[in-house]
Amino acid sequence: MSAPAAASDSAGAARSGPARPAPSRRRWTDNPHLWFWVFVGPFFLGLAIFVLIPIGWSIWLSFYNAHNTVTPTEFVGFDNYRAMLGDPAFRSSLVTFVVFAAFIVPTTFVISLGLAVLLEATSWGRAFFRSVFFLPVACSYVVAALIWRHGIFTGISSGLANTVLGWVGLDPVPWLSVVHPPWYWLVITTVRLWLQVGFYMVLFLAALQRIPRHLYEAAALDGATGWKAFRYITFPQLRTTSTAVLMLLLVNAFQAFDEFYNILATPGGYPPYARPPLIYLYNIALGSVQDFGNGSAGAVILTLLIAVFALVQGKLTGLGRSES
Amino acid sequence: MSRPTLPNPSRRQVFAGVGSVAAAAALAACGGNTGRSGGGSSGGGSGSIAQWYHQYGEPGTEQAVKKYAAAYKDAKVNVTWVPGDYDKKSAAALLTSSGPDVFEYGNGPTIDMITGKQVVDLTDLLGDAKSDFTPAMLARMTYQGKLYGIPQVVDLQLMVYRKSLLAKAGVKPPTTLDELIDAAGKLTSGKVKGLFLGNDGGAGVLGGPVLWSTGHDYLTKDNKPAFNNPEVAGALATLQKLFRSGNLLLGAPTDWSDPGAISQGLCAMQWTGLWTFPQLKQALGDDFGVLPFPAIGSSGKQSIPFGAYASCVSAKAKDVEAAKKFVKWLWVDQTDDQLDFAQSYGFHVPSRTSLIAKADKLKSGPAAEAAGFIAKYGHPQTPLLWTPTSSTAFTDAMDKIIRSGANPAKTLASVEATVKNEMKRFA
């Protein structure tokens, strides 16, 4: 909003100036509001049509019995919310994704920070390794999931993982078929780590390069090198980046869909394990069930939950707190 | 019940979806070719009809349905061939005013499409031909005495086995569940497993067969849950044991709906569908036989599920009568086209029983035997009132029992609660 404010200021200045044109001759293109709407309007229109109206509509639907219709007439109050909260499958999907987030967020954080620190410390082949670690980011989640499912973790003995097991004399494991132990988590978490570690590593690398050298020099004089330097210089200096990375990771974890769907869905549907809420809601609202009331209620519950997590995390990590 | 396809929606699409049902509807409204040419008549007839099909995998099918449509004189029919997740796309399009006039849907429209008045009554289209359609198939698409879909072609699921492998192991084709378990053990040697029921051990696909083969069903005739009983629980406990026996092929590169596992020699017996027969014949020659799902317990009978894509007419069709007339023309009267559609591209059973005798491919061998299963052992895949919510709850339960060893009786009881609750919507 500062741009149009500045524009109107300068327009005001122009008006008070000596070369001020007569008001009648002022061209319509001088109107600062016009340019505000020309630039912001299309974006705002898109935002309204594709985000704001749908969100509002979704909230409205969540209070209606809306099977196979988006213009329902039967108001049901909080029934859909009660139904969703009472649905053990939905509750278990919420637990699934809290557990998944609790694992994947710190793991990605530690690995990407570790890689960044190692890369920063090495002088040999830095560009090469940076590219190698970053490249998976360019790969689509769907493609990676299919490679993991059909190439690496296929259950037959000729699959890559089973071939490796064969070298050490172990029997092939049907990775995605057995649920005790839940090997499917290994498949899901490794593909996600492979896909996202590189991106956060680059964020950390950029932040590491901004830490002033003299801090390390001064610390070294005081005897702080190695782990101590990391603990007392590097890590605190990375605070803003770390906060942003944690927030992005959390949001990403909560959005889990692509790789879960492409790794676990079968012709018979999606199994009741490792089913993230988005997949469950997708099936309810847009899948065969076509129940927009319950689906929307679930989406609202999920949104509130994400908001709570984000607020708690913001509180704990100090997101948005002023640097002073 | 054609080959199930795996939809691959991206997370972005879904976010746009769950949070924004309205956007989906709006997009469907303005998106692409809906098959309708705006308003006026561009063909020989009085108006235009938009007809939707899902993407059949076999080459030539799309050209064939367009050929049939072009031959219709009374209106111009625009065929839309929908790739990807057809069920979701067509369901979304029905919410808008620019969806199809005529569309196909697996096993007829869903109960919510019918009660939501999204589809129209087609009862009067069959006329004298009514007795020529499998009664159970029509009953599946009938609600409160009104028919809502005209079956196009029938598909069925069944067990196939390698004759040579069974002969070598001295195993005769199993007709009871105990014999099947026994055979799976004897046929397992080294990397070849005895039996393949899908990578989830049959959890996703064997619900119906287990119920019917124990002498039960999803719902009773008056739509009460019929699946929660000791026989079904016992049968599921047996499948649970089978899953851990090491005799079941798990983690195959393809799932049950694809003939890959048995044709690549990974297993000796496999649960699959009639649609795999052309590939099976190519890979195995005459070395395969067919079986229904085996009987379970003393009161059980062998069974197989069958289903059909059915032609439906949208209630929002521009001209409902013209759309109905076209459906009658193509899927009731045009028997030559129906035979061509069932036989020349994919491998299906014509839905008019009088055509089965005329179908060359169904005259001999395993295909002939399989076609005979429909009348002998066939059950419609699921009852009309078995809603997707009930279906998800039941399949989840099957999975938890078979794969993670949940208690069958307790798990079935919790599904029963869900189903009863769901039934209240149609009381």
Side-chain angles (χ1 to χ4, degrees):
Chain A
M1 293 294 156
S2 61
S8 59
D9 282 348
S10 62
R15 242 176 267 132
S16 57
R20 178 183 152 202
S24 58
R25 288 184 53 207
R26 211 180 123 213
R27 284 174 306 168
W28 60 277
T29 48
D30 288 344
N31 185 344
H33 298 293
L34 173 79
W35 294 109
F36 171 74
W37 285 111
V38 164
F39 285 107
V40 176
F43 166 75
F44 183 78
L45 194 71
L47 189 75
I49 292 178
F50 293 106
V51 179
L52 301 179
I53 294 176
I55 288 175
W57 200 328
S58 196
I59 293 170
W60 177 71
L61 280 172
S62 70
F63 293 103
Y64 283 82
N65 176 9
H67 277 92
N68 288 55
T69 177
V70 287
T71 49
T73 49
E74 190 191 338
F75 184 78
V76 294
F78 281 94
D79 278 8
N80 290 332
Y81 288 88
R82 259 192 294 276
M84 288 311 287
L85 289 172
D87 179 353
F90 183 60
R91 287 203 309 260
S92 101
S93 77
L94 291 177
V95 173
T96 296
F97 104 136
V98 170
V99 170
F100 175 67
F103 174 80
I104 202 77
V105 172
T107 311
T108 314
F109 184 91
V110 169
I111 295 179
S112 48
L113 177 58
L115 282 178
V117 170
L118 287 179
L119 268 185
E120 179 67 9
T122 182
S123 51
W124 181 82
R126 190 195 288 185
F128 172 75
F129 285 109
R130 196 169 51 201
S131 307
V132 164
F133 290 131
F134 185 73
L135 267 179
V137 175
C139 182
S140 130
Y141 268 66
V142 175
V143 171
L146 293 178
I147 293 171
W148 249 248
R149 177 180 186 159
H150 295 296
I152 302 177
F153 288 104
T154 166
I156 50 171
S157 47
S158 58
L160 184 63
N162 281 334
T163 305
V164 174
L165 287 186
W167 291 339
V168 289
L170 293 172
D171 285 337
V173 174
W175 302 98
L176 296 169
S177 289
V178 292
V179 296
H180 292 305
W183 286 119
Y184 53 86
W185 277 123
L186 178 76
V187 184
I188 288 168
T189 49
T190 48
V191 71
R192 181 166 276 242
L193 287 173
W194 184 75
L195 281 164
Q196 69 180 13
V197 155
F199 177 72
Y200 297 102
M201 178 199 76
V202 166
L203 293 189
F204 278 127
L205 265 181
L208 283 173
Q209 284 162 5
R210 284 187 50 212
I211 300 176
R213 292 287 110 194
H214 64 79
L215 289 180
Y216 289 104
E217 286 157 10
L221 288 179
D222 291 337
T225 54
W227 169 252
K228 270 191 181 159
F230 177 80
R231 165 76 183 77
Y232 293 105
I233 310 283
T234 313
F235 198 63
Q237 288 288 319
L238 288 176
R239 205 193 79 185
T240 42
T241 307
S242 301
T243 308
V245 164
L246 278 179
M247 184 61 76
L248 288 173
L249 275 173
L250 188 75
V251 170
N252 252 346
F254 283 170
Q255 287 181 353
F257 188 98
D258 297 11
E259 78 273 39
F260 281 77
Y261 199 89
N262 286 289
I263 285 174
L264 288 175
T266 69
Y270 195 92
Y273 321 106
R275 179 164 55 194
L278 273 190
I279 288 181
Y280 190 65
L281 294 175
Y282 172 73
N283 281 332
I284 287 186
L286 302 169
S288 49
V289 182
Q290 290 282 313
D291 180 353
F292 297 104
N294 277 320
S296 300
V300 172
I301 295 171
L302 188 62
T303 310
L304 290 176
L305 199 75
I306 294 176
V308 168
F309 267 84
L311 284 175
V312 169
Q313 199 189 32
K315 201 91 189 150
L316 291 179
T317 55
L319 182 75
R321 210 180 290 154
S322 78
E323 276 305 297
S324 61
Chain B
M1 192 182 66
S2 166
R3 220 163 316 181
T5 51
L6 269 185
N8 294 327
S10 77
R11 185 175 55 221
R12 229 162 286 121
Q13 276 170 306
V14 170
F15 250 129
V18 175
S20 60
V21 166
L27 280 176
C30 60
N33 178 17
T34 63
R36 266 186 197 156
S37 63
S41 64
S42 47
S46 55
S48 72
I49 296 169
Q51 185 186 22
W52 283 25
Y53 288 94
H54 82 282
Q55 182 180 31
Y56 287 77
E58 301 82 12
T61 319
E62 182 180 3
Q63 287 73 18
V65 297
K66 286 185 170 160
K67 190 181 73 194
Y68 310 149
Y72 186 58
K73 296 275 179 289
D74 292 344
K76 180 174 165 48
V77 179
N78 296 309
V79 171
T80 302
W81 195 249
V82 184
D85 196 340
Y86 177 77
D87 283 6
K88 293 187 181 88
K89 285 181 186 170
S90 50
L94 286 179
L95 297 173
T96 72
S97 55
S98 55
D101 300 319
V102 175
F103 66 100
E104 60 171 10
Y105 211 78
N107 295 318
T110 65
I111 181 67
D112 284 301
M113 286 182 190
I114 295 172
T115 55
K117 300 200 173 17
Q118 292 185 305
V119 288
V120 302
D121 175 13
L122 303 178
T123 317
D124 54 339
L125 297 194
L126 290 183
D128 297 340
K130 188 175 175 189
S131 57
D132 200 20
F133 288 87
T134 308
M137 192 79 257
L138 291 182
R140 170 64 178 76
M141 300 167 191
T142 302
Y143 183 60
Q144 295 180 338
K146 289 175 182 165
L147 179 70
Y148 288 92
I150 308 292
Q152 299 176 171
V153 279
V154 179
D155 279 310
L156 57 97
Q157 295 169 16
L158 75 180
M159 189 89 78
V160 294
Y161 64 93
R162 295 279 298 272
K163 287 179 182 169
S164 59
L165 292 180
L166 266 71
K168 210 170 98 190
V171 174
K172 69 178 181 52
T175 56
T176 67
L177 185 60
D178 294 336
E179 284 175 18
L180 180 73
I181 306 282
D182 191 46
K186 286 183 181 154
L187 290 165
T188 299
S189 70
K191 285 181 180 173
V192 182
K193 298 288 184 181
L195 179 62
F196 182 52
L197 301 173
N199 284 323
D200 56 3
V205 71
L206 288 182
V210 165
L211 296 176
W212 307 315
S213 282
T214 50
H216 297 280
D217 207 333
Y218 289 101
L219 300 170
T220 59
K221 288 248 177 310
D222 54 349
N223 292 316
K224 300 253 165 25
F227 53 83
N228 181 15
N229 51 60
E231 289 86 6
V232 174
L236 292 178
T238 309
L239 289 181
Q240 192 179 64
K241 258 186 252 154
L242 178 65
F243 185 79
R244 289 160 193 209
S245 65
N247 301 329
L248 213 50
L249 173 64
L250 296 170
T254 52
D255 221 306
W256 66 269
S257 56
D258 190 287
I262 192 164
S263 64
Q264 288 167 22
L266 298 175
C267 62
M269 302 185 284
Q270 178 185 338
W271 184 259
T272 188
L274 186 68
W275 55 84
T276 60
F277 278 34
Q279 286 156 284
L280 282 175
K281 191 138 181 66
Q282 205 177 17
L284 304 174
D286 290 328
D287 185 20
F288 76 100
V290 292
L291 283 171
F293 193 78
I296 305 171
S298 52
S299 60
K301 260 185 68 181
Q302 290 162 293
S303 68
I304 55 132
F306 66 78
Y309 263 99
S311 206
C312 317
V313 173
S314 164
K316 286 181 178 162
K318 246 184 332 182
D319 184 344
V320 169
E321 286 313 312
K324 281 171 71 174
K325 218 170 121 194
F326 169 66
V327 169
K328 175 175 161 39
W329 177 81
L330 182 54
W331 296 116
V332 182
D333 300 339
Q334 291 297 102
T335 46
D336 288 349
D337 288 348
Q338 291 160 29
L339 195 58
D340 179 60
F341 187 66
Q343 291 282 291
S344 307
Y345 317 100
F347 200 81
H348 317 275
V349 180
S351 58
R352 290 190 63 156
T353 48
S354 61
L355 294 180
I356 297 178
K358 293 184 190 162
D360 288 336
K361 287 186 186 166
L362 299 176
K363 277 186 177 151
S364 62
E369 221 180 314
F373 283 180
I374 296 178
K376 243 172 155 170
Y377 309 114
H379 296 263
Q381 214 170 0
T382 52
L384 179 61
L385 263 66
W386 190 253
T387 63
T389 302
S390 299
S391 174
T392 305
F394 187 75
T395 313
D396 280 5
M398 291 272 296
D399 206 318
K400 285 178 191 158
I401 294 167
I402 292 176
R403 287 211 274 171
S404 59
N407 178 309
K410 270 191 208 159
T411 315
L412 286 176
S414 77
V415 179
E416 191 174 20
T418 306
V419 173
K420 276 184 176 161
N421 199 26
E422 191 67 1
M423 284 303 152
K424 281 184 202 154
R425 294 202 292 126
F426 307 105

